[in-house]
C-alpha cells in the first residue's frame, strides 16, 4: 500500500499547469470576443459608447479570466484528490501503479473531465461574457445601476429577479449557477437625471 506521501506526490503529478494553460487558451479569446460584441450591441441598443481599448476593460478581462481558471483548476484538483481517497478507502488499489491507473482512468472517463463538463463550462462562460460585456458598457457610460432579469426557475434566481444592483455587483455576479439565464438592463433614468441637472 502506498504511503500518504506517495499518494500526495501522485495527486500532484497531474499536470495542472499545462491543463490550466490549455483551458485559458481555449476560453480567453472567445470570452473576450463575446463580451466585446455584447458591449457593442448594448451600446447601440441604448445609444451608448463602447471602447474595447479601455484599460479598465483589459484589466477586468485579465483579472476575471485568471480567477476563473484558478477556480476550475481547484475543482480539478479536488476531483483528483477525491478519487485517490476513494481508491484508498475501497481497497481496490494496492500499489502506486494501480492508483496511477485509476487516476488515469478518472481523467479519461470521469464526467468531471468529459465533453459534457466542457460544454457546461462553455455555456457558463458564454453567459458570463455576455453579462460582463453589458455591464462594462454601462460602466463606461457612467451608468451605476442595472436591473436584474433572472426568472424564477430556482430560489436563488427568483430572489434577485427584478432587483436593482450596482454595475460592480453585476460584474461580480454575472450568473448564479451553470446554465443560468441572468441578464442585466441599464437603469437609464439615472443618466437622464444627471444630464438634466447640468
Amino acid at each position: 500500500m502506498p504511503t500518504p506521501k506517495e499518494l500526495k506526490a501522485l495527486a500532484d503529478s497531474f499536470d495542472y499547469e499545462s491543463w490550466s494553460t490549455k483551458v485559458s487558451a481555449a476560453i480567453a479569446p472567445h470570452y473576450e470576443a463575446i463580451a466585446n460584441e455584447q458591449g457593442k450591441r448594448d451600446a447601440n441598443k441604448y445609444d451608448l459608447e463602447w471602447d474595447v481599448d479601455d484599460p479598465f476593460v483589459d484589466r477586468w478581462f485579465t483579472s476575471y479570466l485568471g480567477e476563473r481558471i484558478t477556480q476550475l483548476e481547484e475543482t480539478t484538483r479536488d476531483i483528483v484528490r477525491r478519487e485517490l481517497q476513494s481508491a484508498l478507502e475501497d481497497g481496490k488499489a494496492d500499489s502506486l501503479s494501480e492508483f496511477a491507473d485509476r487516476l488515469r482512468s478518472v481523467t479519461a472517463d470521469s464526467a468531471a473531465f468529459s465533453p459534457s463538463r466542457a460544454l457546461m463550462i462553455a455555456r457558463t462562460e458564454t453567459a458570463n461574457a455576455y453579462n460582463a460585456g453589458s455591464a462594462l458598457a454601462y460602466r463606461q457610460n457612467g451608468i451605476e445601476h442595472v436591473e436584474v432579469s433572472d426568472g424564477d426557475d430556482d430560489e436563488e434566481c427568483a430572489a434577485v429577479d427584478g432587483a436593482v444592483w450596482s454595475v460592480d455587483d453585476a460584474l461580480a455576479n454575472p450568473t448564479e449557477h451553470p446554465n443560468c439565464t441572468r441578464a442585466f438592463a441599464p437603469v437609464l433614468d439615472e443618466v437622464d437625471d444627471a444630464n438634466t441637472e447640468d
Side-chain angles (χ1 to χ4, degrees), residues 147-165 181-183:
E147 183 173 345
V148 183
S149 172
D150 213 358
D152 58 4
D153 291 340
D154 57 73
E155 196 174 313
E156 293 86 356
C157 292
V160 300
D161 188 50
V164 174
W165 285 2
T181 59
R182 179 172 293 167

Side-chain angles (χ1 to χ4, degrees), residues 44-119:
N44 290 334
K45 181 177 180 179
Y46 297 109
D47 195 25
L48 306 171
E49 299 294 324
W50 170 249
D51 178 10
V52 72
D53 296 321
D54 178 348
F56 177 81
V57 170
D58 186 53
R59 285 194 308 271
W60 194 88
F61 283 158
T62 301
S63 173
Y64 171 81
L65 289 165
E67 288 173 12
R68 207 49 196 115
I69 297 306
T70 298
Q71 290 168 359
L72 292 169
E73 181 182 323
E74 286 172 358
T75 300
T76 304
R77 284 180 185 271
D78 288 344
I79 291 163
V80 169
R81 287 186 194 111
R82 277 198 310 269
E83 185 60 28
L84 287 174
Q85 184 64 34
S86 176
L88 187 61
E89 289 171 356
D90 67 22
K92 291 185 178 174
D94 293 323
S95 69
L96 200 55
S97 69
E98 287 174 337
F99 274 94
D101 288 344
R102 183 157 174 169
L103 186 56
R104 277 190 286 276
S105 94
V106 167
T107 57
D109 303 330
S110 168
F113 297 89
S114 69
S116 62
R117 183 184 182 218
L119 182 59

Side-chain angles (χ1 to χ4, degrees), residues 177-193:
H177 52 72
N179 301 319
C180 188
T181 59
R182 179 172 293 167
F184 303 117
V187 177
L188 294 173
D189 57 356
E190 295 176 335
V191 176
D192 294 338
D193 290 347

Side-chain angles (χ1 to χ4, degrees), residues 14 19 22 32 35-36 39 57 64 89-90 119 143-144 158-159 166 177 180:
F14 184 84
W19 184 87
K22 288 176 184 175
E32 292 181 20
N36 180 42
V57 170
Y64 171 81
E89 289 171 356
D90 67 22
L119 182 59
I143 296 168
E144 296 181 2
S166 72
H177 52 72
C180 188

